[in-house]
């Protein structure tokens, strides 16, 4: 009898182990291409191949450096949470900057010609919605630095997103041709000591969101400066004499809050 019980226990453990193995994430990440205005855009898509059926999609907008390994890593992290994530290309042809001078030039060109930025964002959103792993009715966007400003302004343009999350992003307003109610829920994660974000910009954003009755939360992380989520920021600060730095506590706190936010907005 003991032998039989032992065998049954072994079989049960093997079955449980097999179930856990099947449930373990299998992250697939690959470069993709799509177009907008005749320009080839080079993105990166990531998803968990072990998740069955469709799931929410998340657009990930890069820092001013361009669609680099950092933003691709964030796409994979979102895939590990069960989403399909597209790290999109706002500059075209996968263009990336190695120097802040070039990064500033690339990012300002996009923001000064916002119809082009909007066209490229919509091209990425349409591409993401067509993926077989994506529920096209449940799309959100996150952005970092330059990308944070992009997603915040897409919300201001009335883009149909469930939510946007801006990490150490610009708060500057790009005025739409015709004011449109903000449809997305908005979360802004900011470094309290970020030298690029003036106090009046924060107050202006809060008033704007309150006036529009937006589902909005603003979080200031004490001691954090610009680029606080990027582990490479501290070295980049030394190399280029920039007021940026990684902050592990702010990175962890903002990522955890974003996960709660997504659970809220993606409820069916």
């Amino acid at each position: 009898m003991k032998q039989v019980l032992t065998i049954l226990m072994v079989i049960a453990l093997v079955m449980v182990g097999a179930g856990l193995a099947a449930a373990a994430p299998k992250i697939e990440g690959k470069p993709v291409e799509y177009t907008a205005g005749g320009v080839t855009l080079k993105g990166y898509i990531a998803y968990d191949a072990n998740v069955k059926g469709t799931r929410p999609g998340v657009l990930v907008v890069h820092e001013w450096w361009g669609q680099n390994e950092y933003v691709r890593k964030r796409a994979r992290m979102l895939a590990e949470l069960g989403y399909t994530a597209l790290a999109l290309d706002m500059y075209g042809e996968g263009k990336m900057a190695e120097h802040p001078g070039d990064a500033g030039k690339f990012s300002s060109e996009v923001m000064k010609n916002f119809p082009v930025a909007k066209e490229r964002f919509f091209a990425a959103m349409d591409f993401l919605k067509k993926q077989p792993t994506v529920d096209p009715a449940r799309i959100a966007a996150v952005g970092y630095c330059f990308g944070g400003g992009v997603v915040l302004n897409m919300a201001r343009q009335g883009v149909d997103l469930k939510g946007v999350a801006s990490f150490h992003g610009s708060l500057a307003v790009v005025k739409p041709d015709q004011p449109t109610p903000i449809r997305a829920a908005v979360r802004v994660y900011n470094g309290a000591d970020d030298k690029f974000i003036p106090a009046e910009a924060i107050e202006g954003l809060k008033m704007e969101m309150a006036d529009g009755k937006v589902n909005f939360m603003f979080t200031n992380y004490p001691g954090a400066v610009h680029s606080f989520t990027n582990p490479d920021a501290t070295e980049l600060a030394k190399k280029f004499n920039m007021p940026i730095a990684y902050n592990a506590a702010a990175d962890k706190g903002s990522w955890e809050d974003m996960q709660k936010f997504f659970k809220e907005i993606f409820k069916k």
Side-chain angles (χ1 to χ4, degrees):
M1 186 67 181
K2 285 183 178 180
Q3 273 187 317
V4 173
L5 288 172
T6 301
I7 291 169
L8 289 172
M9 287 177 65
V10 170
I11 292 171
L13 287 169
V14 168
M15 291 176 68
V16 169
L20 289 173
K26 182 184 176 185
I27 305 303
E28 301 281 354
K30 61 182 180 180
V32 293
E33 292 187 359
Y34 51 100
T35 61
V39 176
T40 298
L41 303 166
K42 297 183 178 182
Y44 177 90
I45 198 161
Y47 59 94
D48 182 355
N50 280 341
V51 173
K52 305 301 181 186
T54 60
R55 69 216 70 173
V58 182
L59 295 159
V60 191
V61 189
H62 53 77
E63 297 178 296
W64 70 343
W65 305 108
Q67 200 268 88
N68 58 14
E69 178 54 28
Y70 173 68
V71 75
R72 293 191 287 268
K73 181 188 80 170
R74 287 293 176 181
R76 292 191 295 271
M77 290 172 69
L78 285 159
E80 289 171 1
L81 297 176
Y83 306 112
T84 294
L86 174 63
L88 55 84
D89 173 14
M90 292 298 294
Y91 294 161
E93 301 293 347
K95 186 165 59 177
M96 288 186 282
E98 299 293 334
H99 189 278
D102 291 329
K105 179 183 176 184
F106 295 163
S107 58
S108 63
E109 282 176 355
V110 171
M111 296 307 279
K112 286 177 182 176
N113 195 356
F114 206 73
V116 170
K118 195 171 179 180
E119 183 180 28
R120 292 177 180 178
F121 186 89
F122 270 94
M125 186 163 67
D126 290 343
F127 180 87
L128 181 61
K129 285 182 175 182
K130 291 174 183 174
Q131 299 307 301
T133 60
V134 173
D135 175 356
R138 293 189 292 164
I139 304 293
V142 302
Y144 296 85
C145 299
F146 158 78
V150 169
V151 301
L152 185 56
N153 276 292
M154 291 302 166
R156 287 169 167 144
Q157 299 273 329
V159 176
D160 187 14
L161 296 160
K162 290 293 184 184
V164 303
S166 169
F167 295 83
H168 43 84
S170 165
L171 306 183
V173 181
V174 175
K175 295 290 186 184
D177 293 333
Q178 294 182 337
T180 309
I182 294 175
R183 305 166 73 179
V186 177
R187 297 293 180 270
V188 173
Y189 306 112
N190 187 67
D193 295 333
D194 191 330
K195 297 185 185 303
F196 296 104
I197 306 296
E200 54 267 27
I202 295 173
E203 291 309 309
L205 174 69
K206 290 178 178 178
M207 289 178 61
E208 175 193 0
M209 296 292 138
D211 290 346
K213 297 180 172 55
V214 179
N215 175 351
F216 169 73
M217 284 184 63
F218 180 92
T219 306
N220 240 355
Y221 293 96
V225 296
H226 201 66
S227 294
F228 62 77
T229 67
N230 191 338
D232 296 330
T234 305
E235 284 304 313
L236 288 168
K238 293 176 184 175
K239 184 176 181 180
F240 296 115
N241 191 29
M242 300 170 66
I244 63 176
Y246 178 64
N247 185 300
D251 181 20
K252 182 174 183 289
S254 58
W255 188 254
E256 289 177 349
D257 191 83
M258 179 212 70
Q259 291 179 59
K260 295 175 187 174
F261 175 52
F262 281 177
K263 286 179 181 176
E264 172 192 324
I265 62 173
F266 287 137
K267 284 180 182 175
K268 286 189 175 181

